[in-house]
Amino acid sequence: METEDQTLVQDCLTENLDPAPIKDEYAPVIFSQETVSHIVSIDMMSGQQDLENILRARATGKGVLTSPFKLLKSNHLGVVLTFAVYNKDLPPDAIPEQRTEATVGYLGASYDVPSLVEKLLHQLASKQTIVVNVYDTTNASAPISMYGTDITDTGLLHVSSLDFGDPLRKHEMHCRFKQKPPLPWMAINASVGVLVITLLVGHIFHAAICRIAKVENDCREMMELKARAEAADVAKSQFLATVSHEIRTPMNGVLGMLKMLMDTDLDAIQRDYAETAHASGKDLISLINEVLDQAKIESGRLELEDVPFDLRNLLDSILSLSSDKSNDKGIESAVYVSDRVPEVVVGDPGRFRQIITNLVGNSIKFTQDKGHIFVSVHLVDEMKGTSDVGDKVLQQGLNLVQDMSSKTYNTLSGFPVVDRWRSWENFKMLNGKDAKDDPEKIRLLVTVEDTGVGIRLDAQDQIFTPFVQADSSTSRHYGGTGIGLSISKHLVELMHGEIGFASEPGVGSTFSFTGAFGKGEVSSLDSKWKQYDPVVSEFQGLGALIIDNRSIRAEVTKYHLRRLGISVDITSSLESACTYVSSIFTTSAFAHLAMILIDKDVWNQETVLQLRSLLEQHRKNCKLNVSTNLPKIFLLGTSMSPVERSKLKTSGFVDNVLMKPLRLSVLIACFQEALGRTKGKVRGKKMSTLGSLLREKRILVVDDNKVNRRVAEGALKKYGAIVTCVERGHDALNKLKPPHTFDACFMDLQMPEMDGFEATRQIRSAESEVNEKLASGEVSIEMYGNVSHWHIPILAMTADVIQATYEKCLKCGMDDYVSKPFEEEQLYLAVARFFESGL
Amino acid sequence: MDRYGMQNQIACIRRSLFDQGYLDEQFIQLEELQDDANPNFVQEIVTLFYTDSTRLIQNIELTLTSRPTNFSKLDDYMHQFKGSSSSIGAKKVTSECAVFRQYCAAGNAEACIRSFQHIKQEHAILRKKLEFYFQMMGQAAVAQTT
């Protein structure tokens, strides 16, 4: 249907419009939509644009759009679309004139772009977040805005082209967000958060893994190091054990020789020397064992023993060990134990000895050529609190007094010493700060005082540190390794004690330590401590007179004599001694006076002669029997050459010379000799015992050497044993195959064909076979002579006393060894083990 | 010579054997083993020793002269010899044996031969002395009974 519809060009009401001028053509609007009814009868060709539009539409036969302009009435920007209507169908290739000819009318429509856009894009537009701009972009460089506000560039732009049907014109629609899209905080935060969390988690894992790896690494390293340390420790122990074994071996040889020496004819002093040497050797061996203990100390595995021991004997032996060194240097040494210290204490004698030996050794090392070394033992209780001290030595020790006239002090040798109480002033035990005061324990205070060079003040802090000496030149001058004190400190601490010292360079040093010991019974003593028991009582009740100008020294001598049960008086000079002796002539005290001991310091030949003649005179006066013994006179000296000694002895001035430090054994021997009692051979006693042990015993002797066999046979037959001899190991095997009637076997070690070790091994294996059979009941006991367990004592006869052989003997089943050639005492000891009286 | 004189002389001889180092304490042990049950114990042992050791000496000489020198065999023989001589208390002989063994252990054949000469010497000297000693003892015993 043909409708003529035209839009208004100008924006004025119909009434206001002028009538159209005279023109060739007119294109008035005949029909219009109601909405645009105000353009009826307006000449469309009156507007320039419209005119162009119409003409073009007519010419092309297609729809044609104007460029945007303001529409009438609504004043919105819009475009007009014009179609030409032809009266006939024109071919597509018709020329414009033809078209013009055919035109009968026009069809037009106006697009009110704003309202169009708004209505179409209602949804979007209403949101007010999207800005729409419509442009006429026919002229690309100068786009005409048809709809939309000014652009705010918010970034995102969506361009879509509009096609109104006119190919000549282009339209575009730009859509953009009204506002710049806000930063998506949520998303950012969330993602940042997640990122951070992931990073953190990742970091944690990483750190954890790193740490685990590191720890594992460290652990592995530590394991390696630990293995190495353990290996080093083991190697060190092995080294120590091997080295000390090598030292032990020849030492045993030395000890064997000394033992043989002691069995020859010796007088009392020689015997004592030999015994001291023997004891020294034994001590050396135990020292070696202590070196091994060092390793234990370092690894903290050291434990203290708990055995009863005699303190006084121990101190005697320690001091005599070091006596030659101190005597050579001209230093006087002495030991004193307070009366209140019990006879027997329970503790670790070896360790106690170790500490004191170390301190005394240090004193000797650092004391040059004068003075003394004085070891004293008291109870801690003697020191605590009480103002009056009963013990004389302690009294004097606490108060250093100088005798102005002779410029000497009241010490052992007259030389000044450091105040001993300074060495224990910090001890908790003595200050009463020690909370646990166990009444069952005996607390001893041991002091070692010397008049040596002292310790430098700046070195005093470090002396208990191992391997550190006072200064670098110390080991050069004085020797030593610097471990002794640290070990001593450790041992003292194990004994629940404390160690301290006081020292002044040029005066001397005094070391003190305390220790807790248990109470012990005299009867529980080990036999080695009990040697003097039967002898001690023989001096009981005798009296002695000591002449010594130094009171501490006199006290020390008195202490030794009191141990033997001798009662003692002290005078300080020969003259006063003479007076004293004369005064007691008529009393019973004189009758008991058995000895006078004079110290070398007060020795004066004439005065001694005087004393002697005094005594002789008295004897004559009392008409006593000549045989009544006068008191024996002894000289006490420190360092005297044997020549001097024998001169004095032979001159008749003295009955004997006693060397200091005094030892109980020496005193006993000398007194016995002087007072006419001798020990006598103990051999006879042993012989009869040996005889009773071996009587009627059947003994097998195995040796390839004819002479040895004969000698062994003879020796054993003497004691009543029934002896069979065989030459070879094989024969021994046959003879000792159970059942047999032998009680013991002496087996030579070195034999051709089968040596002693091999023979013993085979004998033992044969025996164990039989024992097993008997135990399991496979064979009856009657078949084997009613003996349920076969083990014949086999003693090795060997020419060398070396430890290695002994251990080898034990390993292959031997029970003991005796040395060749046969020695009675050895035989007795070895055989006694197996044939206790009563078997 | 009267009885006491003889006893004195014997004691002197005995003393000198010890003082000169020919015998040591082991000999005393042997003497102590001698009693009424074994009246001639010491003499028996000494005679046994000399019979046994003569045989050993022959063996050792043979081994010493053969080449190459068999040191281990020598050591074995010498061990035996030393063992016997120390059992009777033959001090000098025993110490010479020890010296021989040292040379033997060192493998020094020359020194071994020299040392062995010493051993034989000492061995012979001691034998003479002991023979004389026992002779005197025998005479004294006869003198006692008469």
Side-chain angles (χ1 to χ4, degrees), chain A residues 84 151 212 325 441 445 485 570 604 606 809:
Chain A
I151 309 158
I212 289 173
K325 270 180 274 172
K441 291 282 181 194
L445 173 72
L485 279 174
I570 304 179
N604 183 320
E606 288 84 39
C809 290

Side-chain angles (χ1 to χ4, degrees), chain A residues 479-645:
Chain A
T481 49
I483 340 171
L485 279 174
S486 89
I487 295 179
S488 300
K489 178 160 191 260
H490 186 95
L491 290 173
V492 163
E493 280 163 10
L494 279 178
M495 291 185 193
H496 308 291
E498 296 159 279
I499 186 167
F501 71 99
S503 176
E504 235 175 278
V507 175
S509 316
T510 300
F511 279 78
S512 299
F513 70 94
T514 55
F517 296 88
K519 297 197 179 134
E521 301 298 315
V522 178
S523 52
S524 60
L525 273 183
D526 209 357
S527 59
K528 75 169 179 179
W529 299 107
K530 274 211 262 196
Q531 328 171 292
Y532 307 125
D533 264 352
V535 185
V536 167
S537 48
E538 74 189 66
F539 297 119
Q540 201 83 28
L542 294 176
L545 175 67
I546 299 179
I547 309 176
D548 193 333
N549 61 339
R550 301 220 165 287
S551 59
I552 291 192
R553 201 164 49 184
E555 287 292 328
V556 170
T557 317
K558 178 173 173 178
Y559 148 74
H560 279 106
L561 291 174
R562 292 258 306 276
R563 281 165 76 186
L564 293 172
I566 303 173
S567 59
V568 178
D569 281 305
I570 304 179
T571 58
S572 57
S573 70
L574 277 172
E575 289 77 26
S576 50
C578 290
T579 329
Y580 171 80
V581 168
S582 333
S583 69
I584 62 163
F585 269 156
T586 47
T587 64
S588 60
F590 185 73
H592 289 284
L593 190 67
M595 54 191 85
I596 301 177
L597 296 103
I598 309 177
D599 191 276
K600 192 157 181 252
D601 274 352
V602 296
W603 177 262
N604 183 320
Q605 210 151 303
E606 288 84 39
T607 331
V608 170
L609 275 174
Q610 246 184 346
L611 188 63
R612 262 221 130 85
S613 54
L614 192 67
L615 292 165
E616 295 268 337
Q617 197 69 21
H618 175 78
R619 185 161 66 179
K620 280 211 195 78
N621 290 350
C622 295
K623 297 186 186 41
L624 291 170
N625 203 333
V626 175
S627 61
T628 312
N629 287 325
L630 283 178
K632 303 285 177 223
I633 301 191
F634 294 98
L635 177 66
L636 301 169
T638 308
S639 43
M640 227 187 273
S641 65
V643 174
E644 235 184 303
R645 255 211 312 245

Side-chain angles (χ1 to χ4, degrees), chain A residues 263-264 683 704-708 710-711 714-715 717-718 750 752 821-824, chain B residues 25-26 29-30 32-33 35 41 44-45 48-49 52 79-80 83-84 86-88:
Chain A
D263 284 337
T264 60
R683 287 260 181 107
D704 62 324
N705 186 310
K706 224 190 289 192
V707 176
N708 288 343
R710 198 70 188 76
V711 171
K717 269 199 173 138
K718 183 172 173 201
Q750 273 121 323
F822 266 8
E823 207 238 307
E824 202 184 295
Chain B
E25 211 216 38
Q26 185 58 19
Q29 292 269 358
L30 290 183
E32 283 184 2
L33 291 177
D35 55 18
F41 186 67
E44 267 180 50
I45 298 272
L48 185 59
F49 169 69
D52 194 49
H79 174 77
Q80 286 250 342
S84 311
S86 73
S87 284
I88 69 156

